[in-house]
Amino acid sequence: MKITVIGCGYLGATHAACLASLGFEVLGVEIDPARRTALERGVLPFFEPDLPELLVEQVESGRLRFTDDMAEAAAFGDLHFVCVGTPQRADGMGADLTHVEAAVASLAPHLDRAALVVGKSTVPVGTAQRLQEILRTTAPAGDAVEVAWNPEFLREGFAVKDTLEPDRLVLGVRSEVAEARLREVYAQPIAAGCPVIVTDFPTAELVKVAANSFLATKISFINAMAELCDVTGADVVTLADAIGYDERIGRKFLNAGLGFGGGCLPKDIRAFRARAEELGVKDALRFLHEIDRINIRRRKRVIKIARAELGGRLPGKRIAILGAAFKPNSDDIRDSPALEVAATLHEKGVRVVVHDPEAIPPARKKHPELEYADTIEAACEGADLVLHLTEWLEYRALDPAELGEIVAGKRMVDGRNCLDLAAYQEAGWTVRSLGRPSVA
């Protein structure tokens, strides 16, 4: 079986390289010439641990190559994975399906034999059925072209592992043939014990957005608790530890701080709400509006704390921002809480100096007005205040005593609640966290 991967951004490039590593012949379809050329050279246009080496290996092996020709893709592939993006619409909260629909519409006229078109993109429920109708009416092979839905569950920073060793596989199919083909694709992880859920289109489409909505809810719940801890003197980290021992709740994702960002959780919960309203059940997901609001409030809270730490005055101050990516082990700045805080402080007259191990190039492109530093030391030198906003290991491993020698003021806001407060206290720092008593 030969496989094509349509759309070779973050999801598609990862999926293509991993499938090639499993022994399949894979043809990636990418219409962006710069991205395609880079991938053909084995160069990734984004940062993801372990993927660069895998990409080079598979390209050099000949199992993975790239094209922009849909006719070539249709002639080559027996199974076509659709991995294009579904960003938030510019005119509302719903998902923009332009790229998904364009990919299928471009492929369909060339499908003159039996094929399986598998969606991996995160889409509103009902999309798979609509795409099936498009293929049935426009593909020369008609009913011999089937749709299946196989949502992705990648975590940025762990994408290769999550593809090759998934914690579950969801197969939305309508025939035994489609199920058998997907089981063949994933034979290795299935043999290793990966659970397989075989279901219908609507359920498969709902799984990803439901999972992301639940994770967002857990994060915003503990951040709401942090707001209460701030006014009562309680410690949100101890609170999270205590309730996390309840196996019905669990400790994961109960980490209070600056909140979530990235290209999935924020836009997915908004698109989910929008789709529920279209379906006439908006009250069912009304709570997601408050989840979103709690998350946004965390960014404002950090700015409020920064102002308080600087005596109520921000203009003219120098603040070091540690982190620009929305999470560590990534250069993704989409809806990054850290970068939004940096930009807002700049607008308020602060001299902001940003450091990030990987995300400076995309951050500089989006916010050229900010100042960037190549080293932590350069960012923090002479700083009146340091904001720790992305939990890179480099930041957690900093020596508070050494850092204290280069700043103008030993004041830190730990926006991720993961620094060693005792070590900073011993080194003479004042540290403010979100939902924890201040340390001085």
Side-chain angles (χ1 to χ4, degrees), residues 239-289:
L239 176 65
D241 289 342
I243 65 176
Y245 279 113
D246 188 327
E247 64 181 14
R248 297 168 301 175
I249 297 172
R251 184 60 175 82
K252 289 184 177 180
F253 280 80
L254 285 180
N255 297 312
L258 188 54
F260 56 80
C264 291
L265 263 63
K267 64 101 174 173
D268 284 354
I269 64 173
R270 294 164 192 162
F272 204 11
R273 286 175 52 212
R275 185 56 176 151
E277 185 166 356
E278 291 172 352
L279 294 170
V281 288
K282 67 178 182 179
D283 286 348
L285 299 183
R286 190 182 296 274
F287 73 96
L288 289 179
H289 175 65

Side-chain angles (χ1 to χ4, degrees), residues 84-118:
V84 298
T86 54
Q88 185 175 331
R89 289 176 52 170
D91 60 351
M93 294 192 303
D96 184 351
L97 298 180
T98 302
H99 303 301
V100 170
E101 292 170 349
V104 172
S106 297
L107 177 67
H110 307 290
L111 295 174
D112 56 6
R113 60 188 174 88
L116 184 63
V117 177
V118 185

